[in-house]
Amino acid sequence: MNKPMAYAFAGAMALPLVFGFSGASLAAPKPVVLEVAFNQPETHPQFQAMKKMGEALKARTNGAYSIEVFPNELLGAQKETVEMVQTGTIAMSITAGSLLESWNPDFAVFNLPYMFTSIDQQKKVVNDPAIVGELYNSIADKGIMVLGAFHGGVRNVYLKKGPVKEPSDLSGLKVRVMQSDTNIKMLNMMGGSGISMGQGDVYTAIQTGVLDGGENNEIVFSSLKQVEVAPYYSYTRHLMMPDYLVINTKLYKGLPADVKKIFDEELAKAIDAEYTLFAEAVAKSRADAEKAGGKFNEADVAAFKKAVAPLTEEKLTSPVTKAIYAKIQKMQ
């Protein structure tokens, strides 16, 4: 299905959501399908977790509500799909945290390098309403809300022509980053040149020399076959960013109380499942990438951490981000 057709399809499915959900209940006469846009394949832990959540939601609402996940950027790149959620064309999207900076710069707080000391710490912080509630609801008046955060992996650099061990190894090299000012500045401070680009274009860009490499977790590196064009994967461990599940504000607030309770309960279960699935998938992805010719090496993390330290001070400027950062530091 091409993208124009996919948009039309998603829009048709969204009509009962935008115009008919406010009075719905577990006895809704017409089943409501909540569409989720996703930019990774069906094998990804986030897809699997959301699919399982959809099955549970359908069972617990007697078929009145269900979830359908559209993988592989079928509905568009992440920025496009967040905008579609905002307008009510689709219900939800899973999106990289960096993209939400366009709606509120305070989301940069979790997109900063070396913010978390462990995956467990990240999970506690990004799903604790006492810490993130104000931030996640800050864009509700713009049509979108953050319902929860999944683990997006630990991001590392991979290149076409050789390994990275220290910042000087990135000198003059163009490396794909997510579409955010913070990520571009981060990669530049790490020694390279950050180039923002949608994930669907990265393979060809590296293959043709438009890019010298990318930065992402092992799952993306392996599942999107980027190991074929940039086999040198270096553990810089520069980012541990959450991926957010965003939903149309009007839709979520219009859900009947009984449905919303079930939805929230099943989302909490999905987040727990995704963290477990992600750990398993990372191990498998590295093994698969090595079989495909991937070469893995450790980098000088301390050197990279020192190089990007000024970015944290630059970005933590608002009371909200400073408060969140202070709470994280107390946990360490």
Side-chain angles (χ1 to χ4, degrees):
M1 186 183 297
N2 59 34
K3 287 183 181 178
M5 289 177 64
Y7 292 154
F9 179 58
M13 293 181 67
L15 289 177
L17 301 179
V18 177
F19 299 109
F21 61 79
S22 59
S25 69
L26 295 186
K30 185 179 293 186
V32 176
V33 180
L34 304 173
E35 315 92 336
V36 183
F38 189 47
N39 73 332
Q40 304 292 339
E42 295 92 332
T43 54
H44 195 283
Q46 291 170 8
F47 179 93
Q48 296 172 3
M50 287 302 300
K51 181 180 179 182
K52 187 174 181 180
M53 175 184 170
E55 293 169 351
L57 180 66
K58 185 175 183 178
R60 293 184 65 186
T61 62
N62 302 315
Y65 289 82
S66 62
I67 290 172
E68 184 169 4
V69 187
F70 292 82
N72 300 310
E73 290 192 339
L74 179 62
L75 301 183
Q78 288 185 333
K79 188 173 187 299
E80 295 172 297
T81 60
V82 174
E83 291 168 349
M84 291 168 70
V85 172
Q86 188 176 21
T87 60
T89 306
I90 60 175
M92 294 179 279
S93 177
I94 297 174
T95 181
S98 61
L99 291 183
L100 294 188
E101 290 180 45
S102 298
W103 280 266
N104 181 357
D106 285 349
F107 277 95
V109 65
F110 294 138
N111 306 335
L112 294 170
Y114 304 106
M115 179 59 63
F116 302 106
T117 57
S118 70
I119 295 173
D120 286 340
Q121 184 197 49
Q122 182 202 43
K123 182 182 180 183
K124 291 176 183 177
V125 169
V126 299
N127 288 295
D128 184 348
I131 298 176
V132 301
E134 183 177 354
L135 178 65
Y136 286 6
N137 288 299
S138 66
I139 52 178
D141 60 345
K142 298 179 181 179
I144 50 178
M145 298 173 60
V146 176
L147 293 182
F150 294 113
H151 181 53
V154 181
R155 299 177 79 97
N156 305 282
V157 171
Y158 45 93
L159 297 178
K160 186 174 186 176
K161 295 182 178 179
V164 171
K165 295 183 179 179
E166 56 189 32
S168 61
D169 293 331
L170 286 173
S171 180
L173 300 183
K174 301 183 293 294
V175 179
R176 181 265 178 180
V177 295
M178 288 172 287
Q179 294 158 301
S180 101
D181 175 66
T182 301
N183 280 261
I184 292 172
K185 287 185 176 180
M186 174 200 69
L187 205 288
N188 292 348
M189 288 180 174
M190 289 172 66
S193 178
I195 306 295
S196 65
M197 184 180 295
Q199 187 60 261
D201 299 320
V202 174
Y203 184 103
T204 301
I206 297 174
Q207 187 179 45
T208 59
V210 174
L211 294 173
D212 297 295
E215 54 84 44
N216 219 309
N217 60 64
E218 298 92 335
I219 297 175
V220 171
F221 180 62
S222 177
S223 66
L224 297 188
K225 309 298 183 182
Q226 292 175 11
V227 60
E228 297 175 353
V229 291
Y232 295 93
Y233 192 96
S234 303
Y235 281 105
T236 51
R237 297 185 174 88
H238 54 274
L239 277 180
M240 192 189 301
M241 293 174 54
D243 287 330
Y244 298 119
L245 179 67
V246 298
I247 192 168
N248 178 271
T249 303
K250 186 177 180 182
L251 166 60
Y252 184 70
K253 290 186 175 181
L255 288 174
D258 49 359
V259 176
K260 188 180 293 184
K261 182 175 184 294
I262 294 171
F263 185 98
D264 292 344
E265 289 173 353
E266 292 304 326
L267 176 58
K269 294 176 185 177
I271 289 171
D272 284 340
E274 190 266 352
Y275 270 79
T276 300
L277 290 168
F278 210 104
E280 296 170 355
V282 164
K284 183 180 184 301
S285 295
R286 172 163 176 166
D288 290 345
E290 288 177 329
K291 291 178 183 177
K295 300 172 177 63
F296 292 78
N297 71 278
E298 294 293 330
D300 186 348
V301 171
F304 283 102
K305 188 174 182 179
K306 181 179 179 181
V308 299
L311 187 60
T312 300
E313 183 176 349
E314 176 188 337
K315 290 292 182 178
L316 297 179
T317 57
S318 73
V320 171
T321 57
K322 289 179 179 178
I324 291 174
Y325 184 70
K327 290 175 182 177
I328 295 174
Q329 293 305 302
K330 288 181 180 179
M331 297 173 68
Q332 296 180 2

